[in-house]
Amino acid sequence: MPVSVSTLKTVYWAHARTSMPPTGPVWEPDGGGSLRLYESDELTGVPGQVVIFGFRTKVFVLTVLTLLCPRCGNQAAHPLHRSATKFTLFFIPLFPVRTKYTTQCTFCGVTNRLSKDEANRLHRGIPDQRPRW
């Protein structure tokens, strides 16, 4: 099936605008007025390689507390959450990047961030030693 030169130039131009090398065969002008089909490893000098990485966050419910909500003023259940974000390489979690502790009011939905020490204290059931004004 014949392909027009303008279509091939558009495809090549789209590949040239990206910062990543093309991953498949590419039509390029060969300098003599015609087009030549190049493989991706011919253009970059290295075979095509793919590295899949990212981040995954898992949320764990540590305990459910009955607390007075600072927003709505109701005494309601507040689940204590731990959110652990890990760096992944090829979908395998390798090491933790960030850990957050939060409580959420089940009555109004407000979420409060806690420090690690506050979360551990609430999880163990030790009452607050500081006055809340």
Side-chain angles (χ1 to χ4, degrees):
M1 175 175 152
V3 179
S4 69
V5 174
S6 63
T7 303
L8 294 176
K9 285 183 179 177
T10 304
V11 171
Y12 175 70
W13 181 76
H15 279 297
R17 291 188 60 209
T18 63
S19 60
M20 295 182 62
T23 56
V26 176
W27 290 91
E28 274 195 347
D30 65 354
S34 60
L35 295 173
R36 178 174 176 245
L37 179 64
Y38 288 92
E39 293 295 327
S40 63
D41 56 348
E42 288 183 87
L43 295 173
T44 60
V46 295
Q49 297 176 357
V50 176
V51 176
I52 301 172
F53 68 97
F55 299 92
R56 178 179 297 158
T57 301
K58 287 191 177 183
V59 179
F60 303 96
V61 178
L62 301 176
T63 186
V64 178
L65 307 163
T66 303
L67 301 172
L68 186 65
C69 179
R71 180 181 179 200
C72 66
N74 291 316
Q75 189 169 0
H78 286 71
L80 178 62
H81 297 115
R82 180 180 64 149
S83 303
T85 303
K86 293 187 178 182
F87 176 79
T88 60
L89 184 64
F90 294 105
F91 304 105
I92 299 171
L94 294 179
F95 54 88
V97 177
R98 174 181 43 201
T99 303
K100 294 190 304 186
Y101 295 92
T102 58
T103 60
Q104 184 175 15
C105 178
T106 56
F107 191 78
C108 68
V110 69
T111 301
N112 298 311
R113 274 189 87 173
L114 302 172
S115 68
K116 184 178 181 178
D117 295 333
E118 289 176 322
N120 286 335
R121 183 182 48 76
L122 287 173
H123 185 60
R124 288 187 307 233
I126 300 172
D128 195 359
Q129 302 299 323
R130 296 176 293 156
R132 299 252 182 193
W133 309 114

